[in-house]
Amino acid sequence: MTNPRIARDTPQQEQEQRPATRLKNALRADLLARRKALDTKGKAVSDELIGRRLLEWCAAHAIASLGVYHPIRNEPDLLVAYNALSSLGVHLSLPVVVGKDAALEFRRWRPGDALVKDALGVMVPPPDAPVVQPQALLVPCVGYSASGLRLGYGGGFYDRTLGGAIRPLAVGVCYAFGLTEFDGEAHDAPLDLVLTDEV
């Protein structure tokens, strides 16, 4: 799997950053390092637990259409859950970056469908895949706050997506050690729920 740089993942010059931005960058770097250091067996156990929680949540909320993600940079890998959801008839889709300052586009996808590499090195459905508006989105998090704010890679793609005219349910996905505290900013879109591996 590739390890692409995500837009705005590289910190701005320190003198240009506000204190809130400096704190987020420091938290992001620490949490990404912790995620990178996860041991393979422990990560697999955590991913399986998050996947089971996802299946339970989808069943409890009658989710028929779900925007998922293809894991990068040691994010929780939920492919087993995606397979189960697809077999139950849940329509899945994957996010595609269509512009630096644009919201994400979601294209229909089923496990096993061919994917292509985008400009950032992320595997996405091809351009001819149908564009859909999911009922709910899985939003991978580097970290999250107790109030449901997400710490991502800094590009703002999910914030713009959740700030659109039609807002899907937003379900964060994060390892439990990602729980942290930081001040929200005007553009931050809160999550409806965060699924973790906390026992």
Side-chain angles (χ1 to χ4, degrees):
M1 187 172 298
T2 59
N3 193 18
R5 301 295 290 181
I6 302 298
R8 295 284 312 279
D9 193 27
T10 304
Q12 302 166 21
Q13 294 296 318
E14 282 295 317
Q15 63 267 27
E16 297 175 6
Q17 294 178 354
R18 294 173 300 178
T21 303
R22 284 198 299 273
L23 172 62
K24 282 185 173 181
N25 284 336
L27 289 171
R28 184 180 293 117
D30 176 62
L31 292 171
L32 284 171
R34 290 185 67 180
R35 202 163 74 186
K36 185 176 181 180
L38 287 171
D39 113 341
T40 304
K41 185 184 253 185
K43 181 181 185 309
V45 170
S46 292
D47 293 355
E48 195 271 336
L49 180 54
I50 295 170
R52 276 195 282 120
R53 289 182 171 155
L54 171 61
L55 293 172
E56 291 166 1
W57 182 83
C58 286
H61 293 83
I63 299 300
S65 174
L66 182 66
V68 298
Y69 64 89
H70 188 75
I72 60 172
R73 303 179 73 173
N74 236 23
E75 290 171 341
D77 186 341
L78 305 180
L79 182 58
V80 171
Y82 299 165
N83 283 324
L85 289 168
S86 184
S87 71
L88 291 169
V90 177
H91 294 161
L92 303 179
S93 54
L94 285 170
V96 179
V97 173
V98 294
K100 181 182 173 187
D101 297 314
L104 294 166
E105 176 178 277
F106 283 81
R107 295 180 191 162
R108 179 68 53 84
W109 171 78
R110 286 178 306 216
D113 284 355
L115 297 172
V116 298
K117 195 177 289 189
D118 72 3
L120 296 172
V122 178
M123 301 305 289
V124 299
D128 60 351
V131 175
V132 297
Q133 177 66 52
Q135 175 186 359
L137 300 182
L138 286 190
V139 184
C141 305
V142 176
Y144 65 101
S145 72
S147 60
L149 294 178
R150 169 184 181 261
L151 181 66
Y153 295 108
F157 293 105
Y158 278 101
D159 289 322
R160 287 189 292 276
T161 302
L162 296 173
I166 302 174
R167 187 193 192 279
L169 288 169
V171 179
V173 175
C174 194
Y175 295 115
F177 64 72
L179 178 60
T180 187
E181 285 307 318
F182 53 91
D183 290 331
E185 299 179 75
H187 63 269
D188 287 332
L191 300 164
D192 297 296
L193 171 73
V194 179
L195 298 175
T196 76
D197 58 329
E198 186 173 33
V199 178

